[in-house]
C-alpha cells in the first residue's frame, strides 16, 4: 500500500525542523540576554562598591575635620566646651543638609504659607510628610450666581472656565 504524504506548506519532517530551529533561536536569545545582563550587573556592582567606599572615606574625612576643629577650639577653651561647640556646629550642618534634601522644600525650616481662609475656620494639620493641606483653600468671596430663570450676564461668564455645548 502506498502512503501519500501531504505536500502542504509544512510537511511533517519540516515542521519538526521548524520547532527545533525556534527552540535553538530562543536558547541563543536567552543566553545572549543573560550574558548582557550579567555584564551590566557586574558594572553596576563595581560602581556601587566604589560609591560606598567613597562615602566611607568621606565619613572618616569629616570625622577628622571635626576632630581638628575640636582640637583647635581646645587651645583657648576647656575640652568639654570645645567638644560641645563642635557638636552643635555639626548638628546645625546636618539639619541644614536634611532640610535641603527634603523634596518640595527650599532652605531648611521654610514651610509653605498657610492659606488665608479655609472652610471650617482653621486649617487642618498637614499630612506627616509636610506636603501641604489636604484640600485647596476657599476663595475670599462667594461667586455671583444669577437668579433662577435669569440668563447669566456677560460679566458672569468665566472665560477660563470649561465650555460645554449642548
Amino acid at each position: 500500500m502506498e502512503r501519500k504524504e501531504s505536500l502542504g506548506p509544512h510537511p511533517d519532517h519540516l515542521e519538526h525542523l521548524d520547532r527545533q530551529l525556534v527552540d535553538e533561536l530562543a536558547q541563543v536569545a536567552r543566553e545572549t540576554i543573560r550574558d548582557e545582563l550579567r555584564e551590566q550587573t557586574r558594572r553596576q556592582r563595581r560602581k556601587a562598591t566604589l560609591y560606598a567606599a567613597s562615602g566611607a572615606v568621606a565619613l572618616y574625612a569629616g570625622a577628622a575635620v571635626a576632630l581638628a576643629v575640636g582640637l583647635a577650639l581646645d587651645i583657648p577653651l576647656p575640652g568639654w566646651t570645645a567638644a560641645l561647640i563642635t557638636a552643635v556646629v555639626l548638628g546645625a550642618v546636618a539639619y541644614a543638609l536634611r532640610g535641603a534634601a527634603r523634596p518640595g522644600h527650599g532652605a531648611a525650616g521654610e514651610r509653605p504659607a498657610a492659606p488665608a481662609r479655609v472652610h471650617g475656620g482653621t486649617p487642618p494639620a498637614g499630612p506627616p510628610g509636610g506636603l501641604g493641606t489636604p484640600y485647596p483653600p476657599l476663595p475670599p468671596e462667594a461667586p455671583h450666581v444669577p437668579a433662577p430663570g435669569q440668563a447669566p450676564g456677560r460679566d458672569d461668564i468665566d472665560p477660563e472656565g470649561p465650555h460645554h455645548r449642548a
Side-chain angles (χ1 to χ4, degrees), residues 17-163:
L17 289 175
D18 284 349
R19 272 194 224 129
Q20 188 178 5
L21 181 62
V22 168
D23 291 342
E24 285 180 28
L25 284 174
Q27 182 67 25
V28 168
R30 276 190 225 109
E31 289 174 3
T32 304
I33 291 172
R34 188 178 302 127
D35 291 343
E36 182 64 28
L37 288 175
R38 189 175 291 132
E39 182 63 31
Q40 286 180 3
T41 304
R42 189 176 298 126
R43 282 190 300 238
Q44 293 294 330
R45 189 179 301 131
R46 183 173 184 272
K47 188 185 288 187
T49 303
L50 290 174
Y51 272 117
S54 170
V57 170
L59 179 68
Y60 281 111
V65 168
L67 179 65
V69 168
L71 290 175
L73 287 174
D74 190 35
I75 295 171
L77 300 170
W80 66 270
T81 308
L84 185 62
I85 291 172
T86 304
V88 168
V89 168
L90 288 174
V93 169
Y95 184 76
L97 289 173
R98 183 187 131 244
R102 294 176 81 186
H105 288 67
E110 284 185 14
R111 299 230 181 234
R117 179 176 162 225
V118 292
H119 184 68
T122 60
L131 299 176
T133 58
Y135 54 88
L138 293 176
E141 54 187 57
H144 172 69
V145 179
Q150 182 182 9
R154 188 165 185 85
D155 293 334
D156 295 334
I157 299 174
D158 181 14
E160 298 293 322
H163 302 287

